[in-house]
Amino acid sequence: MKKIGLIIILMLFPVITKATCNNTLREEGKTLSANITSEIKYSSSKNTFTLHLYNVDDNMSVVYLKKTYKPTNGEISISDISEGKSVTLDIYYKDGCEGQIDIIKKTMPYYNKYYGSLMCDGYEDKLYTCSTQFTSYYVSEEIVKLSIRNYETKRIPIEHDAELPKEEKPTVLEKAKEIVNKWGIRIALLIGSSLITIIIGNNKYRKEVHGV
């Protein structure tokens, strides 16, 4: 009977441990995972990035691409990550807890090879594509040339504003002359036609009155 009782206790023990993990240890793990900080470093020789995690508790493990990483002195480093790559890290806490307690997502930047180049000389403080070493998108030679061309195109009119002749508004007299030149002949013809009509009408009226 003692052996049977011992077997029952051993069978129940993992279940009891699992229940404790789900309630207490998981919350403890989530609190500790909130202290994790990260840093991204670039390797010029490989043109890849390394993701460093700090303040990782010794009871934690990180899984990335089915590979498990354990902390050393509170640090974990994941190297050889290509530029522009989206990284998802699953955080686990203690071996007795099932399922991740947290997820960390990071996206690697792109290395801008035109940063500090001759093509960008003079545009470092004017264009994003020339002033930023790491960007959120791939910077090609075409993008840099297009950025420079757009900048120069917009800049030229501003520099020559002072040289453009100022538009002068016409005076009242000039407007009157313009009206006379445009409508004077028509008005004169209209007045002349009206006067002839009036004269002819008067002559007819006199003849009728005097019986001529």
Side-chain angles (χ1 to χ4, degrees):
M1 290 295 293
K2 290 183 179 180
K3 290 182 179 181
I4 295 173
L6 181 61
I7 292 172
I8 293 173
I9 291 173
L10 291 174
M11 290 176 64
L12 291 175
F13 182 77
V15 177
I16 295 172
T17 303
K18 182 178 178 181
T20 304
C21 171
N22 286 339
N23 294 291
T24 305
L25 295 183
R26 286 182 68 85
E27 293 301 321
E28 179 182 300
K30 288 181 179 181
T31 302
L32 292 172
S33 69
N35 297 325
I36 297 177
T37 59
S38 62
E39 182 183 20
I40 298 173
K41 291 185 178 180
Y42 175 72
S43 172
S44 57
S45 59
K46 297 181 178 180
N47 191 31
T48 59
F49 292 90
T50 298
L51 177 60
H52 298 277
L53 301 179
Y54 304 108
N55 301 324
V56 184
D57 189 86
D58 292 337
N59 293 306
M60 288 182 175
S61 59
V62 176
V63 177
Y64 173 61
L65 298 179
K66 297 182 179 181
K67 182 178 180 180
T68 301
Y69 297 83
K70 297 289 291 184
T72 301
N73 297 325
E75 297 183 14
I76 290 178
S77 297
I78 304 174
S79 58
D80 297 329
I81 306 175
S82 59
E83 56 182 350
K85 178 74 174 179
S86 294
V87 176
T88 300
L89 307 176
D90 294 321
I91 312 299
Y92 293 86
Y93 184 62
K94 292 192 175 181
D95 297 334
C97 293
E98 293 183 358
Q100 70 267 31
I101 60 169
D102 202 354
I103 296 176
I104 296 177
K105 293 184 178 182
K106 295 289 180 181
T107 300
M108 300 300 106
Y110 289 89
Y111 174 72
N112 181 11
K113 64 181 179 180
Y114 296 98
Y115 174 80
S117 66
L118 290 175
M119 186 181 296
C120 281
D121 186 30
Y123 297 97
E124 295 86 354
D125 58 343
K126 300 177 179 67
L127 299 175
Y128 173 80
T129 52
C130 291
S131 62
T132 308
Q133 187 173 10
F134 300 100
T135 61
S136 59
Y137 58 89
Y138 176 73
V139 178
S140 63
E141 181 178 352
E142 183 180 356
I143 290 177
V144 177
K145 288 182 177 179
L146 181 61
S147 299
I148 294 174
R149 185 163 62 249
N150 288 342
Y151 172 78
E152 293 296 340
T153 302
K154 293 178 181 179
R155 186 172 65 92
I156 290 174
I158 297 176
E159 290 183 344
H160 290 77
D161 275 350
E163 301 176 11
L164 295 175
K166 295 182 179 180
E167 182 180 358
E168 296 182 357
K169 295 182 178 180
T171 63
V172 176
L173 182 59
E174 289 174 339
K175 287 184 177 180
K177 289 181 179 180
E178 183 181 351
I179 292 173
V180 170
N181 292 333
K182 186 175 181 180
W183 299 99
I185 297 175
R186 296 182 182 181
I187 293 173
L189 290 174
L190 180 61
I191 293 173
S193 176
S194 300
L195 289 173
I196 291 171
T197 302
I198 293 170
I199 292 170
I200 293 173
N202 286 335
N203 289 336
K204 286 183 177 181
Y205 176 75
R206 287 176 181 177
K207 289 178 179 180
E208 290 176 357
V209 171
H210 296 286
V212 179

